[in-house]
Amino acid sequence: MRYSAGIFFIAASTLLLEISLSRVFSVVFFHHFAFLIISTALFGFGFSGVYLFFRKPSPEKLDRYLGVAAILFGLTALIIYRILLVMPAQSEELMQRPELIVRLLLNYALLAIPFYFSGYVVSAILSSFSEISGKLYAYDLIGAALGCLSVLWLIPAIGGSGAVVLASLIAAISAMIFAGRNKIVFLCAAAFAIGCLLLIPQAEKL
């Protein structure tokens, strides 16, 4: 049950982040490239699957790895989101300075990092509990669906930046669930969750 709840929250936070970023970047960048976030997310997921093929965590370390990966997902999402807001690239600039295409590609390469960590969590759970993978995948899909639908209410209520921070908060909750008896991971996740909760009212100032 604990892993079902954890995969539910990490899937919800992943899709909430992905769609929120596409909405924000359609304004900060330009709508033609905003939807590349979907491809970038899939690249991050795929890369995590390749890594797990070679370095699958042992059962005794699984909870710690899942908790740490969930925290890193939320943390890197906030850090990279802030970096990209500081270095936007408008379409007019690309027309006048083609070298900025390299920066745009770098921006999307950075965006793959948080999705690598969320993909790691989902892939590690499904591969570690293959006997109940159908049940776990159902929770994953339900969480992803709710994460998508929540954007309709969250962005008007707390803004795009607020939705990104909330996605990190949900990731921290999933990390607390995965932590189990690992007190260090649990306390780190709890501290991160509190920080995100305090940041949401100030998110639009990011």
Side-chain angles (χ1 to χ4, degrees):
M1 185 61 185
R2 182 162 61 89
Y3 295 105
S4 298
I7 200 172
F8 170 87
F9 282 111
I10 199 69
S13 64
T14 300
L15 269 296
L16 173 58
L17 175 66
E18 186 175 341
I19 297 178
S20 298
L21 288 176
S22 69
R23 298 300 298 162
V24 173
F25 290 163
S26 65
V27 176
V28 175
F29 294 106
F30 29 95
H31 67 278
H32 300 90
F33 290 99
F35 297 101
L36 279 174
I37 292 172
I38 298 172
S39 301
T40 303
L42 291 174
F43 175 77
F45 296 156
F47 192 74
S48 66
V50 172
Y51 178 81
L52 279 170
F53 179 80
F54 295 102
R55 296 290 299 273
K56 185 177 179 179
S58 59
E60 60 272 11
K61 294 182 179 180
L62 180 63
D63 289 349
R64 183 178 67 186
Y65 283 18
L66 292 177
V68 171
I71 294 172
L72 289 174
F73 165 59
L75 184 61
T76 55
L78 290 181
I79 293 173
I80 292 170
Y81 178 68
R82 176 56 181 166
I83 291 173
L84 297 185
L85 288 183
V86 173
M87 299 189 307
Q90 297 295 338
S91 57
E92 296 81 5
E93 294 178 338
L94 289 178
M95 294 298 181
Q96 300 170 6
R97 299 170 58 193
E99 69 273 11
L100 290 181
I101 294 176
V102 176
R103 192 174 79 180
L104 182 65
L105 293 175
L106 179 60
N107 286 347
Y108 281 99
L110 288 174
L111 273 176
I113 296 175
F115 293 108
Y116 164 83
F117 290 115
S118 65
Y120 179 93
V121 173
V122 174
S123 299
I125 293 175
L126 293 178
S127 61
S128 298
F129 303 98
S130 57
E131 67 280 0
I132 56 169
S133 59
K135 176 183 176 181
L136 291 170
Y137 191 54
Y139 279 96
D140 174 84
L141 292 178
I142 294 171
L146 292 178
C148 293
L149 290 174
S150 65
V151 175
L152 297 175
W153 294 276
L154 288 176
I155 289 186
I158 59 177
S161 295
V164 171
V165 177
L166 181 60
S168 294
L169 171 60
I170 298 172
I173 293 173
S174 71
M176 293 168 64
I177 295 172
F178 290 133
R181 297 181 180 180
N182 193 313
K183 293 183 179 180
I184 296 177
V185 175
F186 182 87
L187 290 175
C188 290
F192 182 54
I194 293 172
C196 291
L197 190 61
L198 296 175
L199 183 60
I200 288 176
Q202 310 295 325
E204 290 304 315
K205 298 180 181 179
L206 284 175

